[in-house]
């Protein structure tokens, strides 16, 4: 019996297991693709996906399915900093290695930026512009680092500043690199965060930098925050960990983005 006919005679639990296996392999898959794969109607597949979503095993979106809900709510920095610690440390170390002698950089907000700051060992004189209060606290202790703390409204959840004053300050600067953390990376939707003021400040940071380096652990891929920062075309490099799924890695590299995968 050939493969197609085997797919068509699967029991309901077997079909559900195969659907989840395909999602693990591909990250997402459409209703049409599943219907063709299993030689059943799209109505049947929608019922399958509805059941699996009720079991909290996948998330349905726009005629397709993914493993997890892509939508992210804002969480306090004290909660975020406890997640994926080893991955963030490795990502921060890889990012710090990109900083050159007498460099001028921008560091955005987020817990991964704090891990980056702890790994920075300035060669020559380093100038850092940042929205993150913890980053300022760390780097201001280094005599070789000149730290410019952006001013504005302080977000208690991230302990960082946002708002028009910070954006206005950035218009006076031009830096070699922006190191930015995000809440979500979607190949189609781009970079996102949960706060619209932070997204606006991030866009101003992008305008003030020659290169954009995104630091994101693998849990951020396929997710979306409330506010869009930019399309992927604005990104030069992404540093992530080995948990990134192959389909996301392939799509990023196909679009000309340099991706560094650190060891887990």
């Amino acid at each position: 019996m050939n493969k197609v006919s085997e797919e068509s005679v699967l029991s309901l639990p077997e079909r559900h297991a195969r659907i989840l296996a395909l999602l693990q392999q591909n990250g997402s898959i459409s209703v049409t693709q599943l219907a063709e794969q299993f030689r059943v109607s799209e109505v049947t597949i929608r019922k399958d996906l509805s059941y699996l979503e009720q079991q909290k095993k996948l998330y349905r979106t726009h005629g397709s399915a993914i493993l997890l809900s892509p939508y992210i709510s804002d969480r306090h920095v004290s909660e975020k900093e406890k997640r994926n610690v080893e991955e963030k440390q490795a990502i921060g170390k890889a990012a710090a290695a990109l900083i050159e002698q007498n460099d001028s950089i921008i560091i955005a907000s987020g817990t991964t930026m704090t891990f980056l700051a702890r790994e920075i060992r300035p060669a020559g004189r380093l100038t850092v512009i940042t929205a993150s209060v913890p980053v300022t606290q760390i780097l201001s202790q280094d005599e070789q680092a000149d730290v410019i703390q952006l001013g504005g409204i302080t977000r208690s959840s991230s302990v960082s500043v946002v708002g028009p004053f910070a954006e206005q300050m950035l218009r006076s600067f031009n830096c070699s690199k922006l190191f930015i953390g995000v809440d979500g990376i979607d190949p189609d939707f781009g970079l996102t965060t949960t706060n619209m003021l932070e997204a606006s400040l991030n866009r101003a940071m992008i305008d003030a930098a020659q290169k954009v380096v995104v630091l994101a652990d693998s849990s951020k891929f396929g997710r979306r925050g409330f506010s869009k920062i930019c399309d992927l075309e604005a990104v030069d490099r992404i540093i992530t960990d080995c948990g990134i799924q192959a389909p996301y890695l392939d799509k990023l590299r196909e679009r000309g983005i340099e991706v560094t995968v650190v060891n887990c």
Side-chain angles (χ1 to χ4, degrees), residues 13-241:
E14 288 173 333
R15 190 166 69 239
H16 288 173
R18 293 292 293 273
I19 289 172
L20 294 174
L22 286 168
L23 282 176
Q24 287 284 356
Q25 180 180 349
N26 299 296
S28 67
I29 194 164
S30 71
V31 171
T32 301
Q33 288 172 316
L34 289 170
E36 292 175 352
Q37 174 84 15
F38 297 108
R39 296 194 67 188
V40 296
S41 70
E42 292 190 5
V43 172
T44 296
I45 292 298
R46 289 192 183 95
K47 289 180 180 179
D48 289 339
L49 298 183
S50 179
Y51 171 79
L52 291 170
E53 185 177 45
Q54 291 172 9
Q55 300 298 308
K56 301 188 183 301
K57 294 182 178 179
L58 56 75
Y59 186 86
R60 298 168 61 200
T61 175
H62 301 302
S64 63
I66 58 178
L67 284 174
L68 295 171
S69 170
Y71 301 106
I72 309 161
S73 58
D74 195 13
R75 297 191 302 270
H76 196 274
V77 64
S78 62
E79 178 185 350
K80 290 181 178 180
E81 66 184 3
K82 298 174 184 177
R83 296 171 177 261
N84 306 313
V85 172
E86 292 183 3
E87 290 85 349
K88 290 176 181 178
Q89 286 175 333
I91 291 168
K93 187 174 183 178
L98 300 177
I99 299 173
E100 302 172 272
Q101 186 172 2
N102 300 318
D103 217 344
S104 298
I105 64 174
I106 304 172
I107 300 179
S109 61
T111 55
T112 310
M113 301 301 106
T114 305
F115 284 100
L116 164 61
R118 291 174 182 149
E119 296 292 337
I120 291 176
R121 306 290 184 269
R125 201 77 195 168
L126 175 65
T127 301
V128 180
I129 302 170
T130 185
S132 170
V133 175
V135 167
T136 294
Q137 291 173 331
I138 294 167
L139 292 179
S140 61
Q141 298 179 43
D142 194 313
E143 294 182 354
Q144 291 182 284
D146 295 322
V147 183
I148 301 170
Q149 171 69 61
L150 296 175
I153 304 165
T154 303
R155 291 186 63 213
S156 60
S157 63
S158 62
V159 197
S160 65
V161 299
V162 293
F165 294 114
E167 293 176 28
Q168 184 176 358
M169 288 180 68
L170 283 167
R171 296 190 189 105
S172 301
F173 302 114
N174 179 45
C175 295
S176 70
K177 305 173 193 71
L178 162 63
F179 295 97
I180 182 173
V182 297
D183 289 318
I185 302 178
D186 184 285
D188 299 317
F189 196 66
L191 308 184
T192 56
T193 182
T194 56
N195 183 274
M196 64 181 182
L197 289 176
E198 185 173 64
S200 180
L201 178 59
N202 288 161
R203 288 191 290 272
M205 289 177 170
I206 290 170
D207 290 339
Q210 296 175 23
K211 291 187 177 181
V212 176
V213 183
V214 177
L215 312 188
D217 65 77
S218 56
S219 69
K220 304 295 178 65
F221 290 89
R223 312 298 298 276
R224 294 186 185 186
F226 173 72
S227 296
K228 181 173 180 176
I229 300 170
C230 65
D231 293 323
L232 286 178
E233 282 69 23
V235 176
D236 296 287
R237 183 194 291 255
I238 294 175
I239 305 177
T240 188
D241 62 78

Side-chain angles (χ1 to χ4, degrees), residues 238-262:
I238 294 175
I239 305 177
T240 188
D241 62 78
C242 60
I244 183 174
Q245 293 182 349
Y248 291 123
L249 187 59
D250 293 340
K251 288 179 181 178
L252 292 171
R253 287 175 170 164
E254 285 172 3
R255 298 174 78 161
I257 297 172
E258 188 171 356
V259 183
T260 300
V261 180
V262 299

